[in-house]
């Protein structure tokens, strides 16, 4: 009996590998369509009666005073950026190590991980160049 899928140079595990990505892609598309439908239904069903009071900025029940611009510390953004770099790195390295040991995924998984580590290295280099890694 012949298979409906054409023979692929990567071996028998390659169609299953791409099938996983297809499922994830379809779930993402369904999720985006669900959110878009919810926003559209909300826009069509809600009453729209704008008044000056409704359009005014609301903050803790007090009328806004002064300008809308406020000074914020950029260093908090940079700390969050560093956390994301190292947290994402740790989250993806452990599952990668288990997949790398499986038969048929060695070379492709190794290349994908080096691309991923390259992106993280660029983020770390950016943080280093901005002086975030210095102890003051």
């Amino acid at each position: 009996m012949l298979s409906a899928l054409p023979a692929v140079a990567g071996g028998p595990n390659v169609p299953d590998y791409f099938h996983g990505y297809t499922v994830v892609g379809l779930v993402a598309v369904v999720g985006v369509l669900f959110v878009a439908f919810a926003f559209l239904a909300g826009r069509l069903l809600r009453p729209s009666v704008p008044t000056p009071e409704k359009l005014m900025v609301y903050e803790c029940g007090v009328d806004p005073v002064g300008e809308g611009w406020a000074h914020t510390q950029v260093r908090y953004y940079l700390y969050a950026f560093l956390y994301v770099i190292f947290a994402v790195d740790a989250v993806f390295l452990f599952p990668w190590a288990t997949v790398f040991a499986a038969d048929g995924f060695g070379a492709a998984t190794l290349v994908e991980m080096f691309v991923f580590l390259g992106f993280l290295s660029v983020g770390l280099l950016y943080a280093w160049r901005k002086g975030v890694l210095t102890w003051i």
Side-chain angles (χ1 to χ4, degrees):
M1 177 180 254
L2 294 174
S3 173
L5 295 172
V8 180
N13 292 334
V14 173
D16 292 335
Y17 181 74
F18 290 121
H19 176 72
Y21 282 122
T22 305
V23 170
V24 170
L26 287 175
V27 168
V29 168
V30 168
V32 167
L33 289 175
F34 180 76
V35 170
F37 176 75
F39 276 117
L40 180 66
R43 180 175 286 263
L44 293 175
L45 296 175
R46 72 174 180 241
S48 177
V49 185
T51 62
E53 289 82 17
K54 286 183 180 179
L55 297 176
M56 189 171 62
V57 177
Y58 178 80
E59 185 173 342
C60 302
V62 179
D63 290 337
V65 177
E67 296 182 19
W69 295 97
H71 295 284
T72 57
Q73 295 290 333
V74 176
R75 92 176 127 218
Y76 298 121
Y77 163 75
L78 295 174
Y79 290 143
F81 186 67
L82 279 176
Y83 171 76
V84 168
I85 289 171
F86 291 115
V88 169
D89 188 22
V91 165
F92 283 109
L93 280 178
F94 291 113
W96 169 77
T98 59
V99 171
F100 183 69
D103 293 332
F105 292 114
T109 307
L110 186 65
V111 170
E112 288 174 0
M113 186 47 64
F114 276 117
V115 168
F116 175 73
L117 289 175
F119 283 122
L120 289 179
S121 298
V122 168
L124 187 60
L125 179 67
Y126 172 78
W128 176 66
R129 297 278 292 171
K130 288 291 185 180
V132 177
L133 302 178
T134 58
W135 292 95
I136 297 176

